[in-house]
Amino acid sequence: NQLLKKRQEQEKSFGSPLDPLLQSLAGFNTSTDLTAKIEQLYIGLDIDQNGFLSYDDLKEGLRKMEVTPHIHLSEEDYHLMTYGKTWCDEFGNLPMDEFERVMRDQLKLYVQRQMSTAMIAAHAGGSQIGDVLFVLKQLMITVEDLKSDSKATHEGLSSMGGIVRTGSVGSNHRINPSPSAQLRRRSSSANSPREHPPIN
């Protein structure tokens, strides 16, 4: 994928224009806290409150942010960070959920760059404990997200009453009970009184 290769090469050499913003987001405590921070950012950038961000909205909003250095987002930057606008809607805009997806992806890349810098500095005899801790924090958030996804999947299966939907639409499979459960069912069925047809 030429687009992805170009994106990785650019960020490896120069970083991302969003780095000052990503640094300011680094104070999150949990995945939920990070989501809340991104939502607040989105609301602040969505000046006309129409529920989505266009490139112009994002460019102008980021330019006005009080960060150092100031953020100048080009159309090419926007194209790269949205993977050729495949993360945008049909009009090339970012709704809230996709904006969070972009920001989390950018934060992950930022962490990777920080980790690389910390490793280089460590070899040179420098101390980068703060960056190492930040990387560990991101790993903890990733684990937390995996746990949340697993819990949601488990609850979803429970609410479906043992029905699992797999494959194509309409292909349902019922989870078979365990052998012990099958034995209890047969035993219960054998001990229950049978109904006899009425004698005429």
Side-chain angles (χ1 to χ4, degrees):
N1 189 312
Q2 293 297 323
L3 178 63
L4 180 58
K5 184 178 180 181
K6 182 177 180 181
R7 179 175 185 266
Q8 291 172 336
E9 289 177 350
Q10 177 183 356
E11 292 185 344
K12 182 178 180 181
S13 303
F14 308 107
S16 166
L18 296 180
D19 278 3
L21 172 61
L22 298 172
Q23 185 178 7
S24 70
L25 287 175
F28 62 85
N29 296 314
T30 63
S31 182
T32 302
D33 182 43
L34 178 58
T35 293
K37 289 180 181 297
I38 294 174
E39 287 180 351
Q40 290 176 357
L41 175 62
Y42 186 88
I43 292 172
L45 294 172
D46 186 18
I47 300 176
D48 51 9
Q49 297 183 348
N50 55 9
F52 59 82
L53 290 176
S54 66
Y55 162 68
D56 290 331
D57 292 335
L58 195 56
K59 175 186 176 182
E60 188 63 19
L62 292 174
R63 187 184 65 82
K64 293 180 178 179
M65 292 191 67
E66 296 181 359
V67 293
T68 304
H70 291 297
I71 300 175
H72 299 282
L73 189 73
S74 68
E75 274 197 81
E76 184 180 15
D77 294 329
Y78 185 74
H79 190 76
L80 292 172
M81 66 190 281
T82 58
Y83 288 85
K85 296 187 179 180
T86 57
W87 288 6
C88 299
D89 63 17
E90 57 188 301
F91 303 105
N93 302 319
L94 283 171
M96 173 60 218
D97 56 341
E98 294 300 331
F99 177 73
E100 180 177 358
R101 185 183 181 190
V102 167
M103 294 307 300
R104 283 178 174 269
D105 180 63
Q106 289 294 310
L107 188 58
K108 179 189 70 176
L109 295 172
Y110 175 74
V111 169
Q112 292 174 350
R113 290 193 296 274
Q114 294 296 98
M115 183 165 56
S116 297
T117 302
M119 291 173 63
I120 294 172
H123 284 297
S127 176
Q128 298 289 332
I129 300 300
D131 291 334
V132 173
L133 292 176
F134 180 58
V135 171
L136 292 176
K137 180 190 291 186
Q138 179 67 19
L139 290 174
M140 292 172 63
I141 294 302
T142 301
V143 172
E144 182 179 342
D145 286 341
L146 290 174
K147 288 182 179 180
S148 298
D149 291 342
S150 177
K151 181 179 179 181
T153 301
H154 178 74
E155 292 175 350
L157 291 175
S158 299
S159 65
M160 293 167 68
I163 296 293
V164 180
R165 185 177 299 276
T166 60
S168 59
V169 177
S171 58
N172 296 337
H173 301 282
R174 181 173 295 278
I175 299 175
N176 293 325
S178 63
S180 59
Q182 293 179 5
L183 181 62
R184 286 196 300 271
R185 286 185 181 179
R186 287 197 295 268
S187 176
S188 176
S189 176
N191 295 331
S192 61
R194 298 178 180 273
E195 293 185 2
H196 299 282
I199 301 176
N200 294 330

